[in-house]
Amino acid sequence: GQGRLEWATGDAAPEPGRLDLAAIRARCSETLPGADYYPWLHELGLQLGAAYQGIQTMCWGNGELLTEFRLPAHLAAEADRFVLHPSTLDSALQGALWLSRQHDGLDHLHLPFTMGACTIAGPTPRRGFARAGARVQRERQEARHPGR
């Protein structure tokens, strides 16, 4: 099936940079270390260098995913050159591919090519968490199940 991954927005969104990690982890019982994630990406055809392998661990469940990421140590000296380091941004978004696999059965490489918005709440974090949620698009759902 098809779905759509998006960051929380609007009234339901937490304050930028503030996630209730304990509550999210309680909802997400499945886990995967980053060291096991990158070989899966490689099998799909995406070969990321060390600078873009920042995921430490992911946990997911019920259409939700929490990714813990770290800026690779060899990039720490240059991190302050960026408002948002490309490695940090990429690591924060990469988990959405895993959620697509879990939610939609993704078995091929599917990369987003646009981003509607990105709010930068502060300087590049050396470590952080990103949350993604899967949501079925209403138009597709209605097309598959008219009258619901």
Side-chain angles (χ1 to χ4, degrees):
Q2 294 290 318
R4 176 182 170 143
L5 296 174
E6 66 181 38
W7 302 104
T9 59
D11 295 337
E15 182 181 325
R18 305 285 181 235
L19 296 174
D20 185 344
L21 298 177
I24 295 170
R25 285 183 177 129
R27 294 189 301 265
C28 299
S29 60
E30 303 288 333
T31 61
L32 183 74
D36 293 342
Y37 173 67
Y38 290 106
W40 174 74
L41 280 182
H42 186 84
E43 287 177 20
L44 293 182
L46 185 59
Q47 291 129 31
L48 298 171
Y52 291 96
Q53 294 188 27
I55 290 180
Q56 300 300 296
T57 189
M58 294 184 292
C59 60
W60 71 93
N62 301 315
E64 184 175 27
L65 175 124
L66 181 68
T67 302
E68 179 183 0
F69 60 88
R70 287 198 173 110
L71 184 69
H74 72 279
L75 299 176
E78 71 176 33
D80 292 334
R81 292 181 35 219
F82 299 90
V83 173
L84 180 58
H85 197 284
S87 176
T88 301
L89 175 62
D90 202 66
S91 294
L93 296 174
Q94 287 172 12
L97 291 172
W98 185 256
L99 186 57
S100 289
R101 177 182 185 210
Q102 303 307 313
H103 187 262
D104 293 331
L106 179 75
D107 62 356
H108 61 281
L109 190 58
H110 176 79
L111 298 175
F113 57 89
T114 63
M115 181 186 308
C118 178
T119 301
I120 300 171
T124 295
R126 304 301 196 269
R127 175 181 177 265
F129 295 88
R131 180 194 165 272
R135 183 178 78 168
V136 176
Q137 289 179 317
R138 178 169 283 154
E139 304 83 44
R140 288 187 182 153
Q141 195 173 32
E142 288 174 359
R144 289 186 190 142
H145 308 284
R148 279 192 183 176

